[in-house]
Structures are given as C-alpha cells and as structure tokens.
C-alpha cells in the first residue's frame, strides 16, 4: 500500500494523515482514482505475497514481485480471490446478526468469526493455487 499512500500524500498533503475526511474526490481529484486502483492492486497481490513468504518463511520472499505477479496473474488465483471475497461478504452479512449480551454490554462477534473463517478458506485456496503453480 506504500505507493497508494505516497500518491495520497502528494495529492492531499500532510493533512491526509491527520484527518481522513480529506480523502474525498473533491479534495484529491483524479488522484483519488489512482489511489483506489493502487490499493486494489495491493489487496489483490497481498495474499500471494503472504503465501510466498509462508512457503519458506523468508521475509525477502514476500518482495519477489516478478514471481508474485507471474503467479497471481492466473485464472486460478483470480477465481480463488473472487471466491474468498464472496465468502467473506456472505459470512459478514450472515454472521453480523450474531450478538451476545455480556451484562449490560452487547457484543457483536459475528464479524470476527466471519473474518477468521473467510481467511482460513481463502488462504487454503491461495496455498493450493501456489502449490500448483510451481
């Protein structure tokens, strides 16, 4: 996400980091579209970078951009990414209704459960795609 943050800093100045309400199209103009595209690209590549790192547990493996791009620009990886995103959205919609009362406080743990389940499913798929792409 560093490139997206750099563009946000250049377009919005220092105030972007102090007041998140400055991250609007009116304040940032066209650069807001660039920021969103860079952030989505980072979110797309992040699971493959983490999977690459976890395969040998060497920190430098997460920054081998050529290999990460090659492995993430496949239909299998794209399908796994879309499927895990859909699973996450469905689980959030379903489990957000799960609420517990602890004394006077109402606790919503559904989002945490949905996040955990979606990440287990997603990274299982990403690991399988990574293993098949060697």
């Amino acid at each position: 996400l560093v490139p997206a943050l750099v563009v946000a800093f250049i377009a919005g100045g220092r105030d972007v980091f102090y007041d998140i309400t400055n991250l609007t199209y009116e304040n940032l103009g066209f650069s807001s579209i660039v920021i969103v595209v860079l952030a989505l690209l980072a979110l797309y590549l992040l699971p493959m970078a983490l999977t690459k790192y976890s395969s040998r547990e060497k920190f430098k493996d997460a920054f081998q951009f050529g290999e990460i791009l090659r492995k993430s620009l496949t239909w299998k990886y794209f399908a796994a990414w879309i499927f895990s995103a859909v699973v996450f959205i469905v689980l959030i919609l379903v489990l957000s209704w799960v609420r517990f009362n602890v004394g006077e406080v109402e606790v919503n743990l559904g989002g945490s459960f949905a996040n955990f389940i979606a990440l287990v499913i997603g990274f299982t798929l990403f690991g399988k795609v990574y293993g098949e792409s060697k």
Side-chain angles (χ1 to χ4, degrees), residues 42-65 68 72 77 81 119 122-123 126-127 130:
L43 289 175
Y44 181 75
L45 296 176
L46 181 64
M48 185 54 74
L50 291 174
T51 305
K52 177 94 175 99
Y53 162 74
S54 67
S55 69
R56 292 190 330 174
E57 295 184 2
K58 295 197 184 281
F59 190 69
K60 67 177 183 169
D61 288 343
F63 296 99
Q64 293 180 350
F65 297 117
I68 291 169
S72 61
Y77 179 77
W81 197 87
L119 284 173
F123 275 99
F126 297 136
Y130 178 80

Side-chain angles (χ1 to χ4, degrees), residues 44 49 53 78 82 84 99 102 104 114 126 129 131 133:
Y44 181 75
Y53 162 74
F78 180 74
I82 293 295
S84 61
R99 300 179 190 278
V102 179
E104 298 277 330
F126 297 136
V129 169
S133 67

Side-chain angles (χ1 to χ4, degrees), residues 2-122:
V2 171
L5 290 174
V6 168
V7 172
F9 183 73
I10 291 171
R14 263 188 347 191
D15 296 336
V16 169
F17 297 108
Y18 297 119
D19 186 9
I20 199 162
T21 59
N22 286 337
L23 290 174
T24 63
Y25 185 76
E26 291 83 22
N27 291 342
L28 297 176
F30 177 74
S31 60
S32 63
I33 296 170
V34 174
I35 293 167
V36 168
V37 168
L38 288 173
L40 286 174
L41 180 65
L43 289 175
Y44 181 75
L45 296 176
L46 181 64
M48 185 54 74
L50 291 174
T51 305
K52 177 94 175 99
Y53 162 74
S54 67
S55 69
R56 292 190 330 174
E57 295 184 2
K58 295 197 184 281
F59 190 69
K60 67 177 183 169
D61 288 343
F63 296 99
Q64 293 180 350
F65 297 117
E67 189 174 348
I68 291 169
L69 274 173
R70 183 179 52 81
K71 290 185 178 193
S72 61
L73 295 178
T74 63
W75 285 110
K76 284 185 178 183
Y77 179 77
F78 180 74
W81 197 87
I82 293 295
F83 182 76
S84 61
V86 168
V87 166
F88 177 72
I89 292 168
V90 169
L91 286 173
I92 284 288
L93 291 174
V94 171
L95 293 178
S96 66
W97 297 93
V98 176
R99 300 179 190 278
F100 302 100
N101 287 327
V102 179
E104 298 277 330
V105 179
E106 182 179 56
V107 179
N108 183 355
L109 293 177
S112 299
F113 290 133
N115 192 23
F116 174 75
I117 294 167
L119 284 173
V120 168
I121 292 170

